Amino acid sequence: MNSKQLRQKAWNALKGRYWWTVLAALIAGLFGVISLGTSTGTITYKSDMDEQFTEKFTEVFDKLPDNGMLIIFSILAAIFIIALAMSIIGSAVRLGYCRFNMDLFTGVEKPTMNLLFSRLSIIWKALWKSILEGLLIALASIFLLVPGIIVGLMYSQSDYILAENPELKATEAMKRSREMMKGQKWNLFKLILSFFGWMILAGIVPAGELLLAPYIESATAAFYLDRTGRLSEKAEEAAADLGDLKAKA
């Protein structure tokens, strides 16, 4: 399917479930899986805000007791540990978020939020895969931006593959992604590029990235399902028939 068809499939999948998917995106965003968006005016007033923050920080610091540095260090250490833990958990939540978005196309009911945490049992495998991919993309990007993008597209399906096949090793999921994306990297890039206008709009609207995330994520999930031969009209008709049967029961 081309980009327009995949976007249409994604749009149809979100009908009646959009705000539910926004909630899922918000939870995933708390673990760093996606961006939660920006608010308007951030760039315009950034310098003023920095100056005000510095003045307030200095004022508060001057009022701290003698062990003020220890207090600040403890707070910063706690924030770092929490952020690190959230990042580690986020690697598994990413897999669960992939399952959530795939389930938008496998039935008519709302995917449960439990899916977001359904792959915590392979958290270290998910983390290792994220580290490996991050290193490969970083190494490729050292030379030029384009090689980094190509490597990113090459391993783009590994999250979906590992989410569906948790018994696989991280390297096996990455290998399958490489094979799946042979001759398909440009198609996925065009799909992502087709959201460019929406991305610009999302960047200037408060929480715009959060509101746009369900559309993009469902479209990329549709791309994966299409590549695995599960985004056919017959499959959609079967899901609709299943919904009709449940409604009559």
Side-chain angles (χ1 to χ4, degrees):
M1 293 186 182
N2 58 36
S3 297
K4 183 178 180 179
Q5 291 172 319
L6 290 172
R7 290 200 314 272
Q8 186 61 53
K9 296 288 185 184
W11 188 258
N12 292 338
L14 293 174
K15 288 181 179 178
R17 301 183 285 187
Y18 173 71
W19 292 110
W20 184 250
T21 60
V22 169
L23 177 59
L26 175 61
I27 295 173
L30 294 175
F31 291 90
V33 174
I34 62 170
S35 172
L36 290 179
T38 58
S39 58
T40 55
T42 301
I43 298 177
T44 305
Y45 301 103
K46 186 179 186 304
S47 59
D48 293 337
M49 291 175 64
D50 288 346
E51 184 177 346
Q52 293 175 10
F53 176 79
T54 302
E55 292 177 358
K56 291 290 184 181
F57 181 81
T58 303
E59 181 180 343
V60 172
F61 182 77
D62 290 338
K63 295 180 180 179
L64 286 174
D66 295 337
N67 60 345
M69 286 299 296
L70 178 61
I71 294 174
I72 292 177
F73 177 79
S74 299
I75 294 174
L76 293 177
I79 293 174
F80 174 78
I81 292 173
I82 293 173
L84 180 62
M86 294 288 278
S87 178
I88 293 173
I89 296 173
S91 60
V93 173
R94 173 60 193 169
L95 302 185
Y97 191 45
C98 287
R99 289 195 64 200
F100 178 93
N101 284 289
M102 283 189 285
D103 271 19
L104 291 172
F105 299 91
T106 58
V108 294
E109 295 182 352
K110 293 178 181 177
T112 64
M113 292 298 169
N114 293 338
L115 287 173
L116 297 177
F117 305 98
S118 61
R119 288 297 176 254
L120 288 178
S121 59
I122 58 169
I123 185 172
W124 299 114
K125 187 185 297 186
L127 179 63
W128 177 233
K129 185 195 70 65
S130 297
I131 293 173
L132 283 178
E133 290 180 3
L135 287 174
L136 290 172
I137 293 172
L139 287 173
S141 299
I142 289 176
F143 302 98
L144 285 172
L145 177 62
V146 173
I149 294 175
I150 292 174
V151 173
L153 293 170
M154 186 186 302
Y155 294 115
S156 61
Q157 306 305 294
S158 61
D159 285 329
Y160 296 101
I161 294 170
L162 193 57
E164 284 200 298
N165 306 278
E167 73 282 356
L168 291 178
K169 294 180 180 179
T171 51
E172 290 174 336
M174 293 169 65
K175 180 180 178 181
R176 290 193 184 186
S177 180
R178 288 200 308 270
E179 295 172 350
M180 183 182 295
M181 292 304 291
K182 287 180 180 178
Q184 294 296 323
K185 289 183 282 294
W186 175 241
N187 291 332
L188 179 56
F189 184 74
K190 285 192 298 183
L191 174 61
I192 297 172
L193 197 63
S194 69
F195 287 98
F196 186 70
W198 285 103
M199 291 176 182
I200 294 176
L201 181 61
I204 60 177
V205 174
E209 292 178 29
L210 172 62
L211 297 175
L212 178 60
Y215 191 18
I216 296 178
E217 293 293 337
S218 59
T220 52
F223 176 87
Y224 171 76
L225 293 174
D226 184 47
R227 292 296 305 133
T228 55
R230 288 176 289 169
L231 199 65
S232 64
E233 295 296 336
K234 291 182 179 180
E236 290 187 354
E237 290 174 3
D241 292 340
L242 177 61
D244 293 338
L245 289 174
K246 289 183 177 181
K248 293 177 181 178

